[in-house]
Each structure stands twice: as structure tokens, then as C-alpha cells.
Amino acid sequence: DTEVTQTPKHLVMGMTNKKSLKCEQHMGHRAMYWYKQKAKKPPELMFVYSYEKLSINESVPSRFSPECPNSSLLNLHLHALQPEDSALYLCASSQDASWRNEQFFGPGTRLTVL
Amino acid sequence: AQSVSQHNHHVILSEAASLELGCNYSYGGTVNLFWYVQYPGQHLQLLLKYFSGDPLVKGIKGFEAEFIKSKFSFNLRKPSVQWSDTAEYFCAVNAYGGSQGNLIFGKGTKLSVKP
């Protein structure tokens, strides 16, 4: 299984809602990532988990809260988002967080904040 | 700081035309280089990668790229494009000594192939 899966595919939420994005991989990878991609822009790194520990937080606002319950799962908890947070949220995984490893991307969750 | 430049924002070609998309990076040390493709409505897929060895790298779907260290370049090529190659193409770099697992992406090149 060489897939990274993400749910839901689409999410519409109000600014007062709390929701979560989920990501799963069964490749035995020990590094997982959250990226944000705005329309017609490249992905921007948000968080890196290495061996289930948060290793990088790219100055992301606290309304985004990542969680790594185990080595296969990665969640992104959303609370009190702003309309400008609307974007495609991509999850990725790699063998580990070494610079030498390629990252495998999921299909993304398209988030719309009203 | 590391950066990646893709020179072409939007390239329009007819089927069977040859393709070359430019990518330059700014980092003097050892790098890993990648080309990813994002077809309309689909997720990012790895086309090819360069880690070391032969600077001419062959990827999926007939794509290849050449790493020219002296020019800090990693241009993507395909001899004859098809309508199905219509997509967004991203060059990315991961540098030795860079942040853990931090892929730096270029801004992307949109390729439109006319049938």
C-alpha cells in the first residue's frame, strides 16, 4: 500500500466551528507532514511529525492544532478559523524526516471557511 | 535561505511538441531535487527525483530531468507532450542541513497541451 489517504475530501465550516482533518498511511513511514496550498500556489509546510513527535511548527496560528495519535495517523484540529484559511490541506509522509527521503502526498482536503 | 525558481508561469504547447521547464535553486551544498506533478483535481505525484549519481534522471510517463550542478539547475524535459500532460508542475529541493524534511517548492508551472 503506497497511498496516503485523507478525509474528508471537502469540508465547509463556519468560523465558530470545530472540525478535524484526518490523514492515514500504511507504508511504515515515521515522518508525517501537513501542508497548506492556496490556489495557484505551491504547498507551504505547516507541521512535521517525526516518530510521533512534533519536530517542526512553521509559525502556524494556534487555531490549527496537529495531533499524531500513532505512527500511521495524523490529525489536524481546526477551531475558530478565518475565511483566509480556506485552502487545500495536504498530508504527506516519508520514511523518516531525513532530508534524503521523498515525500508521498495525499489527495488533500479542500477546506472552505465561511 | 534556500529557494527554488521556476521561470515559466504558464506554458502552452500543442500535442507532440517538446517540453522543457526550467528550475533553478539557490543552495551551494548537497541537495536532493524533485519534480512533482499535480493533474487537475488530483494530488501531488512524484515524477522523478535526483539524489546522487547520473545527473540525467528518468521518471514516469516519459519525463526526464538533468541536474547541472554548475548552473544550479534541474530542468524537466519531455520529447513529445500529450494532452494528458496538462497539469501543474512543481520543482522542489531538500537540502543537506536544511530543516528536517522541509521540501522547498517552486511556484509551479502550469502546462496546457492543446489537442
Side-chain angles (χ1 to χ4, degrees):
Chain A
D1 186 352
T2 58
E3 270 195 328
V4 176
T5 58
Q6 291 186 244
T7 56
K9 288 185 179 178
H10 301 276
L11 178 62
V12 180
M13 59 186 291
M15 289 190 285
T16 58
N17 293 156
K18 283 185 182 181
K19 297 285 184 184
S20 296
L21 309 184
K22 296 185 183 305
C23 174
E24 191 167 5
Q25 56 87 15
H26 294 289
M27 294 178 276
H29 289 172
R30 302 311 300 270
M32 296 185 77
Y33 311 79
W34 280 116
Y35 287 85
K36 175 181 178 179
Q37 186 178 21
K38 301 282 276 184
K40 302 186 190 304
K41 299 286 187 185
E44 294 178 355
L45 184 68
M46 299 174 71
F47 303 103
V48 180
Y49 271 84
S50 178
Y51 291 87
E52 294 133 66
K53 288 185 171 25
L54 183 64
S55 63
I56 292 180
N57 176 342
E58 292 286 351
S59 303
V60 179
S62 59
R63 57 186 184 268
F64 295 91
S65 175
E67 178 197 17
C68 190
N70 60 56
S71 60
S72 300
L73 292 173
L74 186 66
N75 298 323
L76 186 62
H77 303 297
L78 314 172
H79 174 55
L81 295 193
Q82 305 296 310
E84 60 264 29
D85 296 321
S86 298
L88 181 68
Y89 287 84
L90 296 168
C91 176
S93 71
S94 63
Q95 189 174 345
D96 58 40
S98 162
W99 70 288
R100 290 201 70 87
N101 291 313
E102 67 184 84
Q103 295 180 21
F104 295 80
F105 285 83
T109 293
R110 188 160 299 281
L111 174 67
T112 302
V113 182
L114 302 176
Chain B
Q2 302 149 28
S3 66
V4 178
S5 298
Q6 291 183 243
H7 316 300
N8 311 104
H9 177 62
H10 190 186
V11 172
I12 303 173
L13 295 172
S14 297
E15 275 194 315
S18 64
L19 169 72
E20 182 160 1
L21 301 183
C23 173
N24 286 90
Y25 64 93
S26 64
Y27 184 72
T30 304
V31 293
N32 292 334
L33 297 157
F34 307 85
W35 275 99
Y36 282 88
V37 61
Q38 193 168 30
Y39 297 103
Q42 296 191 29
H43 62 282
L44 276 168
Q45 300 173 43
L46 183 68
L47 268 181
L48 47 78
K49 61 189 178 187
Y50 173 79
F51 281 4
S52 62
D54 189 343
L56 185 60
V57 179
K58 294 196 184 300
I60 61 171
K61 305 187 181 188
F63 286 91
E64 65 178 32
E66 185 175 12
F67 170 52
I68 303 179
K69 190 174 181 180
S70 60
K71 295 185 178 180
F72 300 90
S73 71
F74 190 55
N75 293 353
L76 181 71
R77 300 194 292 248
K78 185 170 184 178
S80 176
V81 295
Q82 301 172 313
W83 176 79
S84 57
D85 293 323
T86 294
E88 188 93 24
Y89 292 81
F90 293 98
C91 181
V93 62
N94 201 346
Y96 176 74
S99 296
Q100 263 195 333
N102 191 356
L103 269 180
I104 308 297
F105 284 88
K107 292 190 174 182
T109 296
K110 181 178 178 180
L111 172 65
S112 298
V113 180
K114 298 184 292 185

